[in-house]
Amino acid sequence: MIYLVTGGAGFIGANFLNYFVPKQKEDIFINIDNLSYSGNLLNVQNIEKYENYFFRNVDIQDYDGLKHVFNEWNPDVIIHFAAESHVDRSILSPLHFMKTNILGTFNLLELAKHFWKNKDRCLFHHVSTDEVYGSLKESGYFTETTPYHPTSPYSASKASSDHLVRAYCHTYDLPVTISNCSNNYGPYQFPEKLIPMTLSNFLNGKSVPIYGDGQNVRDWLYVEDHCQAIWHIIHNSEIGETYNIGGNNELTNLEVVHVLADILAAFTGVDPLKYLEQISFVKDRPGHDYRYAIDASKIKNILGWSPAESIQSGMKKTVKWYLDHQDWMEKVSSDEYQSWLKLNYSDREVSNG
Ligand code: NAD
Ligand code: TYD
């Protein structure tokens, strides 16, 4: 099988490739990514040596650039991770989200439609978010039939891309599947998101900004569990199906930060209260969704997937990874390194082949 993985230099895409490239030696994996601020080749350097792995620096907004990749490989499966993914950035500069998340997805769908006219076994898997459903109150869960009610520019752009994917399945018989997943955590997450930002700031003595009163709830899933769920869907799902993926691990943001302080303190020997003193409550995010929680019974019952990690085991692995990779955190956050990457990789392709 030839897998085209978009956004494979980012957090979840890189975890997916790092897990499956060494394991699936008979398969070929093409990573296409434009190395935006959250995508970094450091995230996939452990698999660069593998002969079944190739990287192409392509922006999914660039139809011709994508077409070149399709001409070269005509993939069997597209796993579409590439996106602008941070809600706060979507509030500040929504246009990037519309261009990458909507138009980029549209370009991929158009090319898949064109190149797969006479192909038997092919699949477009769209990686989406539970944020398309909007916000829950104290009770209830998102199911696959919950009506869409996106509330941020990010979630609205992801909802649009979900609708496009379904429309291509309905209108053109394009074989698609979709997954809507809850908040992920684990290695290689860009340190602007709550968990890596908190760990980085704890370790560097900086303040940890908590929006509002810290009582917003997210359902946390260890990233490798998400990758396994996607693999299950790609290989075992009926065409046209949607699956919600979640960890059944609801925590308030304040609870998350407390768990991180305790686990980090156990590794460093620092008093956890010292870390907790770094918390600072700041002005709330505009339109901040109160609660997300997933009912993952469909993927469990139909495909037999359930998460392997508990919040304690997943957080422990995560804290240890960030402690052992403080150089990674510094490098990916540095402007200098970001410009170096752009300079070196913007006009040429990188691969082992
Ligand atoms: P990320 O920001 O870490 O990675 C996104 C990757 O896409 C980066 O490597 C970036 O360089 C690349 N990219 C961005 N714009 C591009 C473009 N125009 N062309 C080519 N590549 C581009 O995000 P992530 O957390 O890994 O999220 C991956 C996917 O999973 C996204 O579609 C996101 O909506 C979805 N998702 C994320 C979470 C989560 O908690 N992180 C939860 C559910 C769903
Ligand atoms: P985030 O990691 O940005 O994911 P999302 O917004 O997609 O859920 O944020 C997770 C939660 O943490 C969310 O409720 C916002 C909150 N948060 C803070 O309180 N402070 C921060 O600095 C960040 C980045 C997030």
Side-chain angles (χ1 to χ4, degrees):
M1 297 281 259
I2 302 180
Y3 294 92
L4 181 70
V5 176
T6 72
F11 165 47
I12 307 175
N15 275 283
F16 183 91
L17 288 166
N18 284 326
Y19 188 87
F20 288 109
V21 166
K23 205 164 166 279
Q24 299 292 127
K25 292 209 180 66
E26 252 79 291
D27 296 325
I28 290 175
F29 293 83
I30 326 294
N31 175 7
I32 61 169
D33 200 297
N34 72 343
L35 301 179
S36 78
Y37 78 93
S38 67
N40 203 306
L41 290 176
L42 282 176
N43 301 354
V44 281
Q45 69 180 1
N46 292 342
I47 52 169
E48 259 169 18
K49 60 180 183 299
Y50 281 86
E51 287 180 358
N52 59 335
Y53 170 74
F54 299 86
F55 173 72
R56 297 288 180 266
N57 186 326
V58 179
D59 190 321
I60 59 169
Q61 294 173 51
D62 172 12
Y63 180 87
D64 292 335
L66 281 177
K67 191 171 175 190
H68 186 75
V69 175
F70 273 76
N71 267 321
E72 194 181 5
W73 296 101
N74 196 1
D76 303 306
V77 178
I78 297 170
I79 308 165
H80 180 31
F81 292 100
E84 288 287 343
S85 66
H86 192 43
V87 174
D88 292 320
R89 284 180 191 253
S90 84
I91 296 167
L92 293 171
S93 44
L95 182 61
H96 296 300
F97 287 70
M98 306 310 135
K99 286 184 173 169
T100 286
N101 299 0
I102 306 176
L103 282 175
T105 303
F106 168 72
N107 283 338
L108 284 162
L109 288 165
E110 273 292 293
L111 285 161
K113 181 182 81 168
H114 177 73
F115 276 82
W116 289 352
K117 262 186 197 125
N118 301 312
K119 214 169 172 43
D120 294 334
R121 280 176 69 219
C122 45
L123 181 70
F124 187 109
H125 180 73
H126 183 53
V127 180
S128 192
T129 166
D130 60 353
E131 302 190 26
V132 298
Y133 300 122
S135 182
L136 290 166
K137 299 213 163 53
E138 296 297 339
S139 62
Y141 296 91
F142 297 134
T143 72
E144 288 78 2
T145 55
T146 302
Y148 274 38
H149 187 67
T151 55
S152 72
Y154 164 67
S155 55
S157 69
K158 291 296 290 187
S160 306
S161 58
D162 288 9
H163 290 322
L164 278 171
V165 172
R166 288 202 182 92
Y168 271 65
C169 182
H170 184 80
T171 307
Y172 304 112
D173 282 332
L174 191 76
V176 311
T177 44
I178 297 180
S179 50
N180 296 90
C181 188
S182 62
N183 287 59
N184 285 212
Y185 67 98
Y188 300 112
Q189 188 167 31
F190 192 75
E192 65 182 354
K193 303 270 168 71
L194 180 67
I195 288 177
M197 179 277 294
T198 299
L199 289 170
S200 172
N201 291 8
F202 274 163
L203 287 166
N204 293 309
K206 293 187 189 162
S207 77
V208 171
I210 296 294
Y211 302 157
D213 58 6
Q215 293 307 309
N216 300 63
V217 175
R218 298 293 183 262
D219 174 0
W220 293 95
L221 180 70
Y222 189 65
V223 62
E224 221 166 75
D225 280 324
H226 184 188
C227 296
Q228 294 289 354
I230 292 171
W231 193 260
H232 272 73
I233 296 170
I234 291 167
H235 292 281
N236 303 317
S237 172
E238 298 282 330
I239 298 300
E241 290 294 324
T242 293
Y243 298 88
N244 281 357
I245 307 172
N248 205 13
N249 280 319
E250 282 184 60
L251 293 179
T252 66
N253 294 335
L254 212 47
E255 283 170 337
V256 168
V257 171
H258 278 251
V259 169
L260 292 173
D262 285 343
I263 297 177
L264 187 60
F267 279 114
T268 58
V270 172
D271 183 344
L273 290 175
K274 273 247 161 273
Y275 293 131
L276 295 176
E277 279 167 12
Q278 290 170 236
I279 293 175
S280 106
F281 290 93
V282 299
K283 195 164 169 258
D284 208 354
R285 172 190 278 172
H288 196 175
D289 284 342
Y290 171 59
R291 174 172 168 258
Y292 304 141
I294 287 277
D295 174 350
S297 45
K298 177 174 174 187
I299 188 165
K300 186 172 179 217
N301 295 339
I302 298 182
L303 303 182
W305 172 88
S306 50
E309 301 295 343
S310 67
I311 198 79
Q312 275 300 327
S313 66
M315 289 287 199
K316 209 167 161 187
K317 282 186 177 179
T318 303
V319 171
K320 180 158 181 1
W321 190 88
Y322 284 95
L323 256 178
D324 292 347
H325 293 80
Q326 292 183 59
D327 55 333
W328 175 89
M329 275 209 271
E330 270 163 41
K331 275 186 186 156
V332 299
S333 324
S334 97
D335 289 347
E336 198 193 343
Y337 188 72
Q338 290 289 336
S339 354
W340 176 85
L341 268 180
K342 279 264 176 271
L343 201 68
N344 283 278
Y345 292 111
S346 61
D347 60 349
R348 67 188 175 93
E349 294 168 340
V350 189
S351 82
N352 60 336

